[in-house]
Amino acid sequence: MDAKLFSDRSLKFSGTSLLALLAVGLSVGTLIFDWQAGYLAALGISMSLPLCLCAVVTAGLGYWAVPLLQALKTGQFIREDGPQTHLKKAGTPTMGGLFFVPVGVFVALIWSCLTVGVQELAPVMAVSIVTLAYGTIGWVDDWQVIRLRSNKGISPRMKLGLQIGLGVLFCTWLAISQPAGITTISLPFNLALPLGLLFWPLAVFVVVAESNATNLTDGLDGLAAGTCAIALVGLGAIVAPASPSLMIFCACMSGSCLGFLVHNRNKASVFMGDTGSLALGGALSAVGLLSNNLWALFILSGIFFVEAISVIAQVSYYKATKGPDGIGKRLFKMSPFHNHLELSGWSETQIVGVFYLINGVLALLGLVLH
């Protein structure tokens, strides 16, 4: 991708216009899906209704939660080695995941119970627990940042250990509760890849990698919330035939992200923090694994994958080219990749808008190929 391609003023967005376009796109997309799937007549089992409800509730709740976070002095600390334009964001309240993640989880549980039935509640309960557990890890990290008044939270080793531990617990539950066929990955064109015992280390890796990738994507106003909202809608449409309850969960989480964007769009009045980004990664990976849609999850997570790979490549290349003076070369001006684009002349809203568009295409591609 040429960083100069969109650096002129021909593609100038505002945070509000991006939010409006995303809201219309997700609403129309879910309505079309409901119509084609025959869900409009049922009213209860749908994607569009829970998405809209969670969006409205989260947006309204934010008008109370954001001032509360400000009063609690949960201001974000900005790393000094990041883009200099981000320094002006210091003090913006973080931990926004505390109010938008529970909305999606709570509405999903209630909606699924009322429409699908208690007997189908187990999958939603499982992915909800994973979502809240990863959100809790993020909250501990965010709290440490605020308490210590620095941009460093809990140690990377402890954070990774907690993520792996939760991933192992979730995968253990999968092994006990799900049929043996879950270890066979479904591929496009009716192909399948039987992994057997190799599936389980891969599954733990997916949970940990997805949560970290969404966390790395959360670097610009509205970027993580919008791309996750799109990915969740795409994943919800894919899992709908086999698991309407997981579809409802995805729709609710997507709606919560959309409502959060009312306050997180450029210029953001609140950040989701690790509390939100880790929870969203946990939600996506848990649904992908439980529904046996790892290939579709990989496609839908294309943006997150690029962001994570850019960090790995940057660090690896720097270490590999380090000279006697201890200084190495860089592949990018800065990682993750959205920072490279920003330092190359893109505005925040241009990056966010293009990433939304790419993720929308990936969602459609996932639907076609699943």
Side-chain angles (χ1 to χ4, degrees), residues 252-292:
C252 289
M253 292 303 300
S254 178
S256 291
C257 289
L258 191 59
F260 178 69
L261 277 170
V262 171
H263 309 280
N264 181 241
R265 73 187 189 279
N266 188 267
K267 297 178 178 179
S269 59
V270 65
F271 301 139
M272 68 169 63
D274 285 14
T275 310
S277 59
L278 290 184
L280 291 174
L284 284 165
S285 59
V287 173
L289 284 167
L290 185 54
S291 63
N292 197 14

Side-chain angles (χ1 to χ4, degrees), residues 166-188:
L166 284 173
V168 169
L169 287 175
F170 175 65
C171 290
T172 300
W173 176 81
L174 285 178
I176 295 172
S177 63
Q178 301 302 304
I182 196 172
T183 60
T184 299
I185 298 178
S186 300
L187 298 174

Side-chain angles (χ1 to χ4, degrees), residues 7-8 25 57 71 82 106 147 203 223 260 270 272:
S7 61
D8 58 21
V57 171
F106 179 76
R147 187 177 69 86
L223 181 57
F260 178 69
V270 65
M272 68 169 63

Side-chain angles (χ1 to χ4, degrees), residues 170-227:
F170 175 65
C171 290
T172 300
W173 176 81
L174 285 178
I176 295 172
S177 63
Q178 301 302 304
I182 196 172
T183 60
T184 299
I185 298 178
S186 300
L187 298 174
F189 311 112
N190 293 321
L191 299 176
L193 179 62
L195 291 180
L197 293 177
L198 293 177
F199 173 82
W200 299 111
L202 173 64
V204 174
F205 172 79
V206 166
V207 180
V208 175
E210 187 78 20
S211 60
N212 281 308
T214 52
N215 181 232
L216 290 170
T217 306
D218 182 31
L220 300 177
D221 295 349
L223 181 57
T227 50

